[in-house]
Amino acid sequence: MSKQQPPVDGLCEQCGFNYSTGDLQGTVTLLVRQAAESAMALTKAAAGPDPDVVRLRPEPEVWSAIEYACHVRDVLEVQRLRIAQCLAEDRPVYAPMDRTGRVKQEKYEFQSPVEVGAAVMKFAREFGTAAKVLTPQELARLGLYNYPVRAPRSLSWIVRHTAHEIQHHRHDIIEILAKVEPPIVPAPKPVVEESTEEGDGTEEQAAVVAEDNES
């Protein structure tokens, strides 16, 4: 979890993603799995003792778990549409996603964690289906990408960048929930005084002493 923008090439030291390693199929498979893990972390927290914990920001300028999950959902949908646009157009110009504006416009904070989690998994599967069938020639196709600077990017880069987004924000969601979730403290066990069914022999000793005094 960081206020700094993650890199878009090479190694991301925050989450460990590396743009330079891994084959396409493995990268996409990992993307789908990590998207599911993000969704499960969100819905599990929302089903806990404090459902609104997913809406808490650890810091004023850092998104909450539900806001990050909504972002992941929208990234997956937008990137899938960009794959289709790149295959249909020659040198497409991708419209900006407006990642920060969507938070307020779409009211991320108030969305249902269950619905968001289901959408994350749905769009991850759809993105994976579209990405896995791309040929080497298609992966090399270029489009004008706006983030973080306006530059031509290949479909291969878009697939890897999407995988980085998912891995990075999975890391964010889990780390944020670890910070804001109420700790689960087990209830103290009741103190039970030890005793035996046969007793400690005190009464029997007293009776023997009484008998000796009477004899």
Side-chain angles (χ1 to χ4, degrees):
M1 180 185 65
S2 172
K3 297 178 184 179
Q4 297 179 348
Q5 296 293 349
V8 295
D9 286 296
L11 173 67
C12 176
E13 295 183 356
Q14 297 175 43
C15 74
F17 185 86
N18 195 332
Y19 283 77
S20 304
T21 62
D23 63 284
L24 175 70
Q25 297 295 322
T27 298
V28 174
T29 299
L30 182 64
L31 176 154
V32 175
R33 177 171 64 79
Q34 292 187 332
E37 290 172 353
S38 299
M40 287 188 288
L42 180 77
T43 53
K44 181 180 178 182
D50 182 6
D52 286 332
V53 73
V54 299
R55 309 184 196 281
L56 297 178
R57 286 189 171 192
E59 299 176 39
E61 300 304 316
V62 177
W63 289 350
S64 64
I66 187 71
E67 288 170 324
Y68 269 118
C70 287
H71 173 66
V72 166
R73 174 201 60 197
D74 291 355
V75 163
L76 288 165
E77 182 181 26
V78 168
Q79 297 294 70
R80 177 178 56 81
L81 294 174
R82 284 172 175 167
I83 290 176
Q85 182 182 355
C86 190
L87 296 177
E89 301 176 10
D90 185 25
R91 295 295 182 96
V93 178
Y94 303 119
M97 180 179 170
D98 191 16
R99 56 202 297 127
T100 54
R102 283 178 179 243
V103 180
K104 290 186 177 180
Q105 293 167 7
E106 303 296 328
K107 298 181 179 179
Y108 281 180
E109 179 186 357
F110 301 106
Q111 295 196 25
S112 163
V114 174
E115 293 178 3
V116 172
V120 166
M121 290 191 286
K122 175 179 181 289
F123 289 141
R125 289 192 296 267
E126 291 178 356
F127 178 88
T129 299
K132 282 189 172 183
V133 296
L134 293 172
T135 66
Q137 293 76 18
E138 290 171 334
L139 287 166
R141 291 176 67 96
L142 297 174
L144 198 58
Y145 206 89
N146 290 281
Y147 177 83
V149 294
R150 197 172 177 86
R153 295 286 189 176
S154 68
L155 270 186
S156 178
W157 178 87
I158 285 181
V159 171
R160 292 187 180 278
H161 182 60
T162 307
H164 180 208
E165 286 271 321
I166 304 312
Q167 179 163 312
H168 199 95
H169 296 316
R170 168 191 170 277
H171 175 79
D172 285 328
I173 290 168
I174 292 174
E175 186 176 5
I176 287 168
L177 288 174
K179 287 179 178 292
V180 300
E181 278 189 309
I184 300 176
V185 181
K189 295 182 179 179
V191 178
V192 178
E193 295 183 359
E194 294 184 358
S195 61
T196 62
E197 294 181 357
E198 297 178 356
D200 58 6
T202 303
E203 294 180 356
E204 294 179 3
Q205 291 176 0
V208 171
V209 171
E211 291 177 0
D212 290 343
N213 291 335
E214 292 175 356
S215 40

